[in-house]
Amino acid sequence: MEAKPPESSRNRSGAMRDVLTVIMAGGRGQRLMPLTRDRSKPAVPFGGIYRLIDIPLSNCINSQLYKILVFPQYKSQSLVDHLEEGWNIFSSGLGHYLRIVAPQQRLGEDWYRGTADSVRQNLFLVERESPRHVLILSGDHVYKMDYTLFREYHEEKNADVTVGLLEVDRAHASEFGIADVDNEFRIRSFQEKPRDPRPLPDDPERSLASMGIYLFRTEVLLEVLRKTDYEDFGKDIIPRMLEELNVFAYPYRRCNRIRDYVTLADPNGVRRSKLEDPTRDSTYWRDVGNLDAYWNANMDLTGVNPFFNLYGNLWPIRTYQRQYPPAKFVFEQRSDKGERVGTAVDSIIPHGCIISGGYVRSSVLSYNVVVRSYAEVDESVIMDDVEVGRHCRIKKAIIDKDNVIPPRTEIGMSPQEDRKRFPVTARGIVTVPRGYFSQDCKA
């Protein structure tokens, strides 16, 4: 059973010109409430300065994909604002574009009823472009993927459809859509969250789970959508088209390769850059579908050698950069009565933040966060425009934006007390909604 990665076409000029990318960005994100109370799932802040949609968009740019359609639907204004401010980088003179395609009810009175239905309602945009292939992506997953390798694999297999699939432990595979493949990685069956997941032919302990990434030959996509009323690619089209189409699995962790520089320190503490091929995060993928997964993905960014690296040169993650002053760490007072030292370790601290005599550990802060004296923030995600008052203790929490937390407030220290006010996950992650501690929540 072989699934060898093809040689990268990243350096071949124009290699991806005939691919149209569609990014699904309309997710309600019910399991991410209250973070999705005022925004769609792809617009949820991530990693200090990013939004979730920045991840697939950056993968597109790094893979030379410059023709992109974004399909929003629910509570999309925050997402639209972000895309217009930060992703207006495409040259129409070169035939490049990023188009935000609002639901238009072109085929009736229904809004988008699923991923396949959203493309069906906008087929005229596909026909107008006449691409050779159409790449379907989700707007809310965290990963790095070279889509040029994906496309080459697709063509080598002479596939009608290629599905990005992730090798997962069979014990946890029942949480996903699972593909059964033959020795050539052709998909033979596809089941949504099966009780007894089929293992890989060469690995009885692992199964192939859907990543929500599909590459179609355009004529196949047009025919399928025109002759059926199926609403979703993963639940409907892929399982029902297996006998009629050549549908292949792309084993992401075996085939995906990202080349980038990493910074290492030798035994003498001298920092050096080293080209890593493939990088450690070439196999990283997270669906941040619930609060625990969202918290975990942010925690994966911290530490000396993060599981998901934001600091590469060859595969940058792009976003809209706000104009804030540099981060500042102030006070250095030590006495028998306690320490008042502005400190942050193993953490991400963006522009505009002031660590004013507080202590931050293993946390991800966003723009314009102030941590006051003697406060402690530990293993937490703090979004924009939050002030943490003096002597506060915050642990394993997600604090949404526009909160002014009163002095001596404790969050994450007593799950029983936290549940009286906030959502608390089974793992004990506390989420404070936007503006909970503020009467003047910004629009």
Side-chain angles (χ1 to χ4, degrees):
M1 183 181 190
E2 296 185 359
K4 296 180 180 179
E7 294 297 324
S8 175
S9 64
R10 191 182 306 149
N11 295 322
R12 299 179 197 167
S13 178
M16 301 293 276
R17 286 181 181 174
D18 57 0
V19 179
L20 175 65
T21 303
V22 175
I23 299 182
M24 303 296 171
R28 288 180 182 269
Q30 295 287 2
R31 293 181 298 158
L32 273 178
M33 287 290 286
L35 302 183
T36 50
R37 184 188 66 188
D38 302 308
R39 55 172 82 92
S40 63
K41 187 178 172 184
V44 171
F46 174 75
I49 64 173
Y50 305 94
R51 305 276 184 138
L52 287 175
I53 198 169
D54 291 329
I55 306 300
L57 281 174
S58 295
N59 287 334
C60 287
I61 300 304
N62 294 334
S63 300
Q64 301 181 358
L65 290 166
Y66 304 124
K67 298 175 182 178
I68 304 171
L69 303 175
V70 178
F71 290 173
Q73 184 161 217
Y74 305 104
K75 298 179 181 178
S76 62
Q77 193 58 53
S78 177
L79 176 70
V80 172
D81 290 346
H82 175 73
L83 294 176
E84 290 180 346
E85 290 170 339
W87 285 92
N88 189 18
I89 62 174
F90 295 83
S91 171
S92 59
L94 296 175
H96 303 168
Y97 55 80
L98 186 153
R99 294 185 181 135
I100 304 168
V101 185
Q104 303 175 65
Q105 296 183 327
R106 296 181 67 92
L107 300 181
E109 297 182 358
D110 290 332
W111 301 110
Y112 298 153
R113 292 176 288 123
T115 54
D117 184 64
S118 66
V119 178
R120 180 184 295 110
Q121 291 197 37
N122 294 287
L123 273 184
F124 75 102
L125 293 172
V126 179
E127 295 171 315
R128 188 168 70 182
E129 183 61 43
S130 298
R132 183 175 181 181
H133 304 288
V134 178
L135 176 65
I136 312 292
L137 304 174
S138 297
D140 48 24
H141 296 159
V142 179
Y143 65 108
K144 295 178 182 178
M145 184 171 180
D146 187 344
Y147 300 128
T148 63
L149 297 178
F150 187 42
R151 181 255 179 86
E152 289 173 7
Y153 179 96
H154 171 79
E155 293 188 332
E156 287 177 5
K157 295 291 188 180
N158 193 29
D160 296 314
V161 188
T162 302
V163 183
L165 292 160
L166 182 78
E167 298 95 319
V168 298
D169 291 338
R170 193 163 171 240
H172 304 292
S174 58
E175 302 172 9
F176 303 92
I178 298 297
D180 178 28
V181 300
D182 63 18
N183 289 334
E184 298 298 320
F185 276 85
R186 182 166 181 165
I187 298 178
R188 294 304 184 185
S189 67
F190 194 92
Q191 293 180 290
E192 194 69 24
K193 298 181 179 180
R195 291 185 177 180
D196 185 22
R198 295 294 296 272
L200 281 160
D202 62 352
D203 189 346
E205 300 302 321
R206 299 176 75 79
S207 298
L208 285 174
S210 176
M211 301 170 66
I213 298 174
Y214 313 98
L215 186 61
F216 282 84
R217 285 199 298 116
T218 300
E219 60 268 30
V220 170
L221 177 67
L222 294 175
E223 181 181 1
V224 168
L225 293 180
R226 283 172 178 157
K227 76 177 186 179
T228 72
D229 60 356
Y230 299 151
E231 297 179 358
D232 194 82
F233 288 114
K235 294 180 182 178
D236 302 317
I237 287 181
I238 300 302
R240 298 180 186 182
M241 295 290 106
L242 293 178
E243 294 184 3
E244 302 177 30
L245 303 177
N246 290 325
V247 183
F248 280 85
Y250 180 78
Y252 166 77
R253 284 183 170 152
R254 300 188 186 195
C255 295
N256 188 54
R257 298 180 69 90
I258 303 297
R259 298 173 67 251
D260 213 335
Y261 288 95
V262 296
T263 301
L264 303 173
D266 65 21
N268 296 320
V270 178
R271 289 165 55 86
R272 303 183 188 278
S273 291
K274 176 186 175 183
L275 182 62
E276 197 171 64
D277 185 11
T279 59
R280 179 187 187 187
D281 54 13
S282 290
T283 61
Y284 184 96
W285 183 86
R286 274 198 188 273
D287 177 3
V288 289
N290 58 53
L291 294 170
D292 281 335
Y294 174 79
W295 180 85
N296 280 328
N298 276 278
M299 294 301 103
D300 286 344
L301 308 176
T302 64
V304 176
N305 186 19
F307 292 102
F308 189 80
N309 183 23
L310 298 173
Y311 296 88
N313 297 318
L314 303 182
W315 201 270
I317 306 299
R318 305 169 188 270
T319 189
Y320 168 60
Q321 296 276 0
R322 296 199 202 168
Q323 298 301 310
Y324 280 111
K328 183 167 66 170
F329 303 77
V330 294
F331 290 113
E332 207 280 335
Q333 300 175 2
R334 305 172 190 270
S335 68
D336 294 339
K337 296 180 180 180
E339 293 188 353
R340 188 188 185 193
V341 181
T343 306
V345 295
D346 292 339
S347 297
I348 292 175
I349 312 294
H351 309 326
C353 291
I354 301 176
I355 312 302
S356 180
Y359 179 72
V360 179
R361 187 188 76 86
S362 299
S363 295
V364 177
L365 275 55
S366 294
Y367 291 114
N368 204 34
V369 172
V370 178
V371 180
R372 296 294 183 191
S373 297
Y374 314 109
E376 297 179 7
V377 176
D378 191 12
E379 295 182 298
S380 294
V381 180
I382 312 292
M383 297 187 190
D384 304 357
D385 302 318
V386 170
E387 179 179 322
V388 180
R390 284 189 169 206
H391 299 281
C392 285
R393 299 177 66 201
I394 298 174
K395 184 177 178 64
K396 291 189 176 179
I398 302 168
I399 312 294
D400 206 341
K401 63 190 302 183
D402 299 325
N403 276 292
V404 180
I405 303 176
R408 300 189 183 278
T409 301
E410 293 192 350
I411 299 171
M413 312 307 293
S414 172
Q416 185 175 358
E417 290 299 316
D418 288 329
R419 287 191 178 94
K420 296 177 181 179
R421 299 185 293 174
F422 310 118
V424 180
T425 70
R427 187 172 178 176
I429 307 303
V430 185
T431 302
V432 177
R434 179 182 180 181
Y436 181 89
F437 288 108
S438 175
Q439 295 180 353
D440 299 317
C441 181
K442 299 177 182 179

